[in-house]
Amino acid sequence: MTGYPYLEVALRESLAHDLPRIALLASLVVAIALRTMLGKMLDVAIALSTIVVEIAAVAVLMRVFHVRWHVYDALVLPVLVGVTIDESMFLLHAARQAERDGKTGNAVVLRALVEQGPLVVATALTTTAGFAALLFCRFDGLFDLGAVGVLGVLLGLVA
């Protein structure tokens, strides 16, 4: 009556019931925090759109590369959202600072990328390396978690 098979069934049932509500609440909290920190609704929309693009691309590439959706992948989703939001916020904050300093147009984007780009890339690559280590696990759940993590962090960086 115990063990991984029973845990997986219980976890699947719990996630099916709770995950949509948790995702909605987390999205609301993230949107409020972004609005507070970034100040502009356009910036909030940009940051949230990176998450939508990232998660959609992960779903597509999971199908393309035949990566199974495993119940343990639910554990990696908050990490993907967190890393991508951080990356977006750093870049948007640097862009707004460039605007305050009188930059316009492409100069705003260039300055944000020069100032924060290397840090954002380093964060994404080190997180990717951590998830990539899970690709050597023999337990399917951890392997799949690593595959989804690698795809998600890299796609979040691109988004």
Side-chain angles (χ1 to χ4, degrees), residues 19-87:
L19 197 57
R21 287 190 279 167
I22 292 168
L24 182 62
L25 179 60
S27 298
L28 180 63
V29 170
V30 166
I32 291 168
L34 287 172
R35 176 68 170 100
T36 302
M37 299 305 294
L38 297 173
K40 292 184 177 182
M41 284 307 295
L42 176 61
D43 289 351
V44 173
I46 291 169
L48 291 177
S49 70
T50 60
I51 294 171
V52 171
V53 168
E54 171 191 30
I55 299 301
V58 166
V60 168
L61 286 183
M62 283 177 71
R63 287 185 153 249
V64 168
F65 293 125
H66 306 288
V67 176
R68 297 169 306 229
W69 172 257
H70 198 278
V71 70
Y72 296 107
D73 295 338
L75 302 172
V76 77
L77 292 177
V79 174
L80 297 179
V81 169
V83 169
T84 302
I85 284 294
D86 282 352
E87 292 168 350

Side-chain angles (χ1 to χ4, degrees), residues 2-150:
T2 63
Y4 283 115
Y6 294 103
L7 175 64
E8 287 186 22
V9 169
L11 191 53
R12 273 186 218 278
E13 291 171 358
S14 177
L15 287 175
H17 180 263
D18 295 337
L19 197 57
R21 287 190 279 167
I22 292 168
L24 182 62
L25 179 60
S27 298
L28 180 63
V29 170
V30 166
I32 291 168
L34 287 172
R35 176 68 170 100
T36 302
M37 299 305 294
L38 297 173
K40 292 184 177 182
M41 284 307 295
L42 176 61
D43 289 351
V44 173
I46 291 169
L48 291 177
S49 70
T50 60
I51 294 171
V52 171
V53 168
E54 171 191 30
I55 299 301
V58 166
V60 168
L61 286 183
M62 283 177 71
R63 287 185 153 249
V64 168
F65 293 125
H66 306 288
V67 176
R68 297 169 306 229
W69 172 257
H70 198 278
V71 70
Y72 296 107
D73 295 338
L75 302 172
V76 77
L77 292 177
V79 174
L80 297 179
V81 169
V83 169
T84 302
I85 284 294
D86 282 352
E87 292 168 350
S88 298
M89 286 185 61
F90 291 138
L91 291 168
L92 287 167
H93 179 72
R96 294 307 157 239
Q97 184 60 48
E99 286 178 340
R100 286 189 290 276
D101 292 344
K103 303 288 184 193
T104 59
N106 289 339
V108 171
V109 174
L110 183 60
R111 181 161 163 195
L113 289 174
V114 166
E115 285 184 9
Q116 295 296 322
L119 302 172
V120 166
V121 170
T123 298
L125 293 180
T126 56
T127 305
T128 299
F131 282 121
L134 295 174
L135 297 175
F136 295 97
C137 290
R138 287 184 278 178
F139 178 60
D140 288 342
L142 291 178
F143 176 89
D144 293 340
L145 187 144
V148 172
V150 166

